[in-house]
């Protein structure tokens, strides 16, 4: 198994923890939800023979600290963090897999720094700005309601609301065997709290310039899970991204979190997509 090296990078307003494993072209993974640098470990295990894989803790999560913890964060700041991280690690255009919130970060990066990312696989971006106005407003209110549930009732009811919005059925788990355990420990609970309180606010107040996406030199692949319900928020965003780009959705194994639930099959599809994008 490839050796993992770790580092810390000061960026404006924060210090990022990052991890690098493997050899080959640089592939950065920006994880969904509360996921930190270790959340994609099973996927990284299966692609690090072909790519130099960079994972990181988003600012505010785990080992990535904020200079002002009460300030919050914007998606533009998340994108600038990735910009600084890649600039510190490589002089060549990188590849990027962005999942959920990570996909929105990648879209911002494609607009703001298009030469830095050669190809972005944007898996079910949680980007209300991609949607028609009425649908956008409805889903932004869903996110705000989850924040209210979290503040009033705590984490467990909030997670149930999140899974409903994203089309995840916890009563019918669909996953490959032998996955690395991801227990709901104190650190993960804290990460969920930051994600709901601050990253949800960033999504609701997002400033993504959708009209600039077709013109970016970054090749963007709109991806979605094969089992994600077609009417839910995240799948609809992937659909509308494909419309904006004039392409079709590329299906990946599993649902919204297929990169963590189906790492073997997901790795195979990711290789195909990255190798076949012209």
């Amino acid at each position: 198994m490839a050796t993992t090296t770790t580092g810390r990078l000061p960026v404006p307003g924060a210090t990022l923890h990052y991890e690098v494993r493997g050899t080959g072209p640089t592939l950065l993974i920006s994880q969904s939800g509360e996921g930190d640098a270790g959340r994609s470990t099973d996927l990284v295990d299966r692609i690090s023979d072909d790519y130099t894989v960079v994972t990181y803790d988003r600012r505010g999560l785990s080992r990535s600290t904020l200079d002002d913890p009460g300030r919050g964060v914007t998606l533009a700041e998340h994108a600038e963090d990735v910009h600084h991280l890649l600039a510190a690690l490589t002089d060549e255009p990188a590849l990027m897999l962005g999942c959920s919130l990570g996909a929105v970060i990648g879209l911002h990066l494609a607009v703001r720094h298009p030469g830095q990312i050669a190809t972005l696989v944007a898996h079910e971006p949680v980007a209300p700005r991609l949607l028609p106005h009425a649908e956008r407003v409805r889903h932004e209110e869903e996110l705000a309601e989850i924040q209210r549930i979290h503040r009033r009732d705590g984490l467990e009811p909030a997670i149930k609301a999140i899974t409903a919005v994203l089309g995840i059925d916890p009563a019918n788990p669909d996953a490959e065997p032998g996955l690395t355990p991801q227990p709901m420990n104190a650190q993960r609970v804290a990460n969920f709290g930051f994600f709901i309180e601050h990253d949800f606010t960033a999504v609701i107040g997002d400033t993504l310039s959708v009209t600039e996406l077709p013109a970016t030199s970054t090749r963007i692949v709109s991806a979605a899970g094969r089992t994600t319900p077609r009417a839910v928020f995240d799948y609809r965003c992937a659909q509308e991204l494909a419309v904006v780009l004039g392409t079709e959705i590329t299906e990946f194994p599993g649902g919204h979190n297929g990169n963590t639930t189906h790492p073997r099959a997901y790795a195979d599809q990711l290789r195909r997509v990255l190798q076949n994008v012209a």
Side-chain angles (χ1 to χ4, degrees), residues 67-143:
D67 294 351
D68 178 2
R71 181 178 168 275
V73 65
T74 67
L75 281 162
E77 287 173 327
H78 278 316
E80 287 301 300
D81 288 347
V82 175
H83 164 64
H84 290 299
L85 180 55
L86 287 174
L89 295 175
T90 180
D91 295 327
E92 299 295 326
L95 307 168
M96 181 171 178
L97 167 64
C99 300
S100 191
L101 184 68
V104 190
I105 294 169
L107 295 176
H108 275 271
L109 193 65
V111 169
R112 298 167 69 90
H113 303 285
Q116 196 167 34
I117 300 292
T119 298
L120 165 66
V121 178
H123 186 111
E124 298 185 14
V126 286
R129 291 180 69 87
L130 289 166
L131 302 173
H133 178 72
E135 193 176 357
R136 168 186 167 185
V137 170
R138 175 164 60 85
H139 288 304
E140 288 174 343
E141 176 53 32
E142 281 182 334
L143 297 177

Side-chain angles (χ1 to χ4, degrees), residues 157-204:
I159 291 177
K160 289 181 180 178
I162 291 171
T163 59
V165 167
L166 298 179
I168 301 168
D169 182 4
N172 184 30
D174 174 26
E176 294 174 346
L179 301 181
T180 300
Q182 300 280 347
M184 188 61 75
N185 56 23
Q187 183 62 75
R188 196 171 174 202
V189 169
N191 286 351
F192 256 118
F194 187 91
F195 170 56
I196 295 169
E197 290 300 325
H198 296 295
D199 286 326
F200 273 36
T201 298
V203 170
I204 294 168

